[in-house]
């Protein structure tokens, strides 16, 4: 039997009756004066992703998990603000069984077409109107889909939505440029635990031997890094630098074996704070997914906000094997989560920075990398030699497409750009511009051009041509400070850099 506890969304999502009603002036003869909202945000990598005509300010996700059927019954309540008068608008949605839609408290017509949920409200939504949209639906985490954000486990599920699969978990404007506040209410059978991004604000004991856990984010979250998990977990609390609360969500049966890896986090946070400033969120921790599969999902770890998901078996290794990648994922709290990519072409800023600091951490600790190298200079010389080949097979660093988005070019290629920038401006200026960029775009999204502008401003140099050559050029520029470094010629049929299989993100040099 499926069930869901009917609740009222938080006041922040409800607003006033006036805000939810449609102004009489919005109605023209025939009843509608607006236009349908565009079903895209024009992303250069995923042009069909996202929807225009509105922005989302907050989501309230109310999910109930039935351990017998292993299905999820849900209601998503979105607080949106229109940017134009809308006769119709759409959300991204795939593989969700939609039962009903209400807009401003009134039933709305809807249809599912491809990966869009098209919604026609009872009356035109005026420009700059604040409106709630409530979608009731159910989902099967085990359903076979062209792509999915669900990670089914023997005792529940987790989610791993990057880059474009959050809308298989909940209807949304699925693009990192439209970040929003999140509240999650997870109803589970007593004995299981529901956990999500953010911090726990309420626990309710319900009839029928069920428990509801409510989590709320203190900072906006991009849909692609939301975390929701249900299973037989124990919460391991510890303290980080400056009293930062750290919480790991650990499979009960694996807690003792995983403790050595989890205990590394406080020192990792202390290291990164010395370089990038105070950790930007209310908590941090790891979620070793409760699965015995060799590959329960297509990557080693993913930076879901405040709670990084990992393959549990990976974390059973010694520190020298995992510490560099743990730093990679932690750095994503800054580059990727706090400052999100404005388009998926800007992914190099996420992955390049995560690998840059992850490698620095590795070499400081004296751990050889996967090529046996022990210094950043040696690894960058090796990467530099491959530069033209990678540009030929994977495109420039900041010009990916959907097929090569997660190639090594976005990871080590991004590191090479940052290394060249540091060589050009010096370590002090580089460190200053990194912090300035993070501060300026905290809790927002930023483009590659935004990063270039901050680099020019803080360094006091016109670096625009220099950085655009490194980021968009088809040939690898000369490396400052290393005139002796050479680039291998491109063969007639150059070998591609190690490329992800479908859904894989494991091109990080920190692995």
């Amino acid at each position: 039997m499926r069930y869901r506890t009917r609740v009222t969304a938080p006041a922040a999502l409800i607003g006033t009756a006036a805000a939810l009603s449609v102004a009489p002036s919005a109605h023209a003869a025939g009843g509608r004066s607006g236009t349908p909202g565009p079903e895209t945000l024009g992303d250069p990598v995923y042009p069909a992703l996202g929807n225009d005509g509105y922005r989302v300010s907050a989501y309230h996700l109310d999910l109930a998990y039935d351990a017998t059927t292993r299905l999820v019954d849900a209601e998503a309540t979105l607080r949106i603000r229109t940017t134009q008068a809308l006769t119709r608008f759409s959300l991204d949605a795939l593989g969700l069984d939609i039962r009903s839609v209400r807009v401003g408290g009134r039933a709305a017509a809807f249809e599912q077409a491809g990966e869009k949920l098209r919604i026609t409200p009872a009356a035109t939504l005026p420009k700059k109107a604040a409106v709630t949209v409530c979608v009731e639906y159910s989902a099967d985490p085990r359903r076979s889909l062209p792509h999915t954000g669900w990670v089914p486990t023997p005792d529940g599920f987790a989610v791993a939505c990057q880059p474009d699969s959050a809308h298989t978990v909940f209807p949304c404007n699925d693009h990192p440029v439209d970040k929003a506040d999140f509240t999650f209410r997870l109803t589970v059978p007593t004995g299981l635990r529901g956990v999500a991004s953010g911090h726990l604000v309420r626990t309710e004991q319900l009839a029928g031997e069920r428990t509801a856990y409510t989590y709320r984010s203190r900072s906006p979250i991009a849909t692609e890094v939301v975390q929701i998990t249900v299973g037989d977990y124990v919460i391991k609390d510890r303290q980080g630098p400056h009293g930062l609360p750290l919480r790991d969500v650990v499979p009960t049966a694996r807690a003792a074996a995983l403790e050595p890896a989890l205990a590394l986090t406080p020192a990792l946070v202390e290291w990164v704070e010395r370089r990038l400033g105070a950790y930007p969120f209310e908590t941090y921790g790891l979620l070793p997914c409760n699965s015995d599969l060799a590959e329960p999902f297509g990557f080693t770890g993913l930076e879901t906000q405040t709670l990084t998901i990992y393959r549990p078996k990976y974390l059973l290794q010694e520190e020298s094997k995992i510490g560099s990648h743990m730093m990679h994922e932690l750095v994503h709290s800054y580059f990727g989560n706090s400052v999100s990519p404005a388009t998926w072409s800007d992914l190099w800023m996420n992955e390049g920075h995560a690998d840059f600091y992850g490698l620095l951490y590795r070499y400081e600790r004296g751990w050889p990398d996967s090529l046996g190298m022990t210094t950043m200079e040696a690894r960058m010389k090796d990467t530099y030699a491959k530069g033209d080949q990678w540009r030929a097979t994977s495109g420039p660093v900041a010009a990916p497409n959907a097929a090569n988005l997660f190639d090594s070019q976005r990871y080590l290629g991004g590191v090479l750009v940052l290394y060249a920038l540091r060589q050009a401006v010096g370590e002090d200026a580089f460190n200053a511009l990194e912090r300035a960029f993070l501060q300026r775009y905290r809790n927002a999204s930023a483009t590659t051009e935004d990063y270039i502008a901050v680099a020019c401003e803080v360094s006091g140099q016109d670096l625009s041509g220099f950085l655009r050559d490194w980021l968009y050029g088809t040939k690898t520029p000369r490396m400052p400070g290393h005139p002796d470094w050479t680039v291998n010629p491109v063969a007639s049929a150059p070998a591609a850099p190690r490329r992800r299989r479908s859904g894989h993100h494991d091109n990080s040099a920190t692995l």
Side-chain angles (χ1 to χ4, degrees), residues 184-381:
F184 310 85
R185 187 175 188 268
L186 310 177
T187 301
V188 300
T190 298
L192 297 183
R193 189 76 182 237
V195 185
S197 298
H199 63 290
L200 182 66
V201 296
R202 186 184 307 122
T203 302
E204 306 166 75
Q205 300 302 321
L206 306 176
E209 297 186 339
R210 294 173 297 152
T211 306
Y213 300 93
T214 300
Y215 287 80
R216 184 171 298 154
S217 66
R218 292 179 183 165
S219 302
I221 306 177
T223 53
E224 49 112 3
V225 289
V226 159
Q227 182 54 254
I228 308 167
T229 188
V230 169
D232 181 11
Y233 291 105
V234 61
I235 308 300
K236 305 281 286 187
D237 293 311
R238 68 190 84 227
Q239 193 172 86
H242 320 297
L244 174 69
L246 302 176
R247 57 93 191 251
D248 298 307
V249 180
V250 192
T252 302
R254 307 169 191 265
L258 287 164
E259 178 58 25
L262 305 177
L264 300 175
T265 299
L268 292 167
V269 175
E270 184 177 0
W271 187 93
V272 78
E273 285 193 334
R274 290 199 299 269
R275 287 151 182 84
L276 298 178
Y279 176 77
F281 301 121
E282 62 266 40
T283 185
Y284 183 67
L286 304 187
L287 167 63
C289 187
N290 196 17
S291 174
D292 288 314
L293 295 177
E295 292 191 12
F297 37 82
F299 43 85
T300 298
L302 180 66
E303 64 274 14
T304 45
Q305 192 156 311
T306 71
L307 190 61
T308 292
I309 185 172
Y310 262 106
R311 294 176 186 165
K313 292 182 179 179
Y314 177 79
L315 294 174
L316 295 176
Q317 302 176 91
E318 64 186 62
E319 181 183 3
S320 62
K321 301 293 185 182
I322 62 176
S324 182
H325 195 261
M326 289 177 69
M327 180 60 69
H328 172 108
E329 298 298 348
L330 175 58
V331 169
H332 275 313
S333 295
Y334 298 80
F335 292 97
N337 294 11
S338 179
V339 181
S340 299
T343 75
W344 283 107
S345 292
D346 304 308
L347 180 74
W348 78 272
M349 292 194 295
N350 300 18
E351 303 302 347
H353 277 100
D355 259 14
F356 181 84
Y357 290 100
L359 287 173
L360 283 180
Y361 184 72
R362 173 185 290 278
Y363 299 138
E364 282 190 16
R365 301 298 299 273
W367 301 328
D369 62 28
S370 60
L371 301 182
M373 298 175 181
T374 57
T375 67
M376 181 69 87
E377 182 175 325
R379 188 62 187 263
M380 289 300 94
K381 183 177 182 180

Side-chain angles (χ1 to χ4, degrees), residues 40-53:
T40 175
L41 284 170
D43 189 272
V45 178
Y46 294 107
L49 201 61
N51 308 273
D52 211 352

Side-chain angles (χ1 to χ4, degrees), residues 478-492:
R478 302 296 296 176
M479 177 60 72
H482 293 289
D484 57 315
W485 286 12
T486 58
V487 180
N488 296 336
V490 177
S492 56

Side-chain angles (χ1 to χ4, degrees), residues 320-505:
S320 62
K321 301 293 185 182
I322 62 176
S324 182
H325 195 261
M326 289 177 69
M327 180 60 69
H328 172 108
E329 298 298 348
L330 175 58
V331 169
H332 275 313
S333 295
Y334 298 80
F335 292 97
N337 294 11
S338 179
V339 181
S340 299
T343 75
W344 283 107
S345 292
D346 304 308
L347 180 74
W348 78 272
M349 292 194 295
N350 300 18
E351 303 302 347
H353 277 100
D355 259 14
F356 181 84
Y357 290 100
L359 287 173
L360 283 180
Y361 184 72
R362 173 185 290 278
Y363 299 138
E364 282 190 16
R365 301 298 299 273
W367 301 328
D369 62 28
S370 60
L371 301 182
M373 298 175 181
T374 57
T375 67
M376 181 69 87
E377 182 175 325
R379 188 62 187 263
M380 289 300 94
K381 183 177 182 180
D382 177 83
T383 303
Y384 183 83
K386 302 169 182 173
D388 283 1
Q389 294 176 340
W390 286 10
R391 288 169 190 266
T393 56
S394 292
V397 174
N401 58 40
N404 63 34
L405 179 61
F406 289 96
D407 278 11
S408 296
Q409 181 74 309
R410 258 45 77 187
Y411 291 77
L412 265 176
V415 178
L416 191 66
V417 173
L418 296 172
Y419 180 85
L421 176 59
R422 190 177 68 170
Q423 288 288 110
V425 302
E427 189 166 350
D428 289 345
F430 177 80
N431 293 340
L433 73 87
E434 292 278 273
R435 286 189 177 228
F437 176 76
L438 290 170
Q439 181 62 36
R440 182 167 303 177
Y441 293 100
R442 181 172 181 172
N443 292 332
S445 300
T447 66
T448 296
E449 289 300 314
D450 292 328
Y451 184 81
I452 292 172
V454 171
C456 294
E457 177 185 329
V458 175
S459 69
Q461 304 177 41
D462 183 2
L463 298 166
S464 54
F466 173 84
L467 282 171
R468 290 188 186 115
D469 284 347
W470 275 97
L471 290 163
Y472 298 108
T474 58
K475 296 293 183 182
T476 306
R478 302 296 296 176
M479 177 60 72
H482 293 289
D484 57 315
W485 286 12
T486 58
V487 180
N488 296 336
V490 177
S492 56
R498 186 160 60 95
R499 181 171 295 175
R500 67 168 182 157
R501 289 168 283 168
S502 179
H504 282 61
H505 297 56

Side-chain angles (χ1 to χ4, degrees), residues 20-101:
L20 299 181
S21 63
V22 179
S25 61
H27 298 275
R32 294 189 178 276
S33 60
T35 59
E39 295 184 347
T40 175
L41 284 170
D43 189 272
V45 178
Y46 294 107
L49 201 61
N51 308 273
D52 211 352
Y54 67 90
R55 290 294 181 268
V56 183
S57 60
Y59 293 86
H60 176 79
L61 304 181
D62 182 10
L63 279 63
Y65 176 69
D66 188 322
T68 301
T69 65
R70 300 178 68 183
L71 300 177
V72 174
D73 203 28
E75 181 175 279
T77 303
L78 291 70
R79 179 74 165 174
I80 71 171
R81 186 169 184 84
T82 61
T83 57
Q84 65 183 72
L86 293 172
T87 59
R88 189 184 77 194
F89 63 96
S90 57
L91 301 173
D92 297 305
L94 173 66
L96 306 177
D97 298 317
I98 309 296
R99 294 195 300 273
S100 69
V101 178

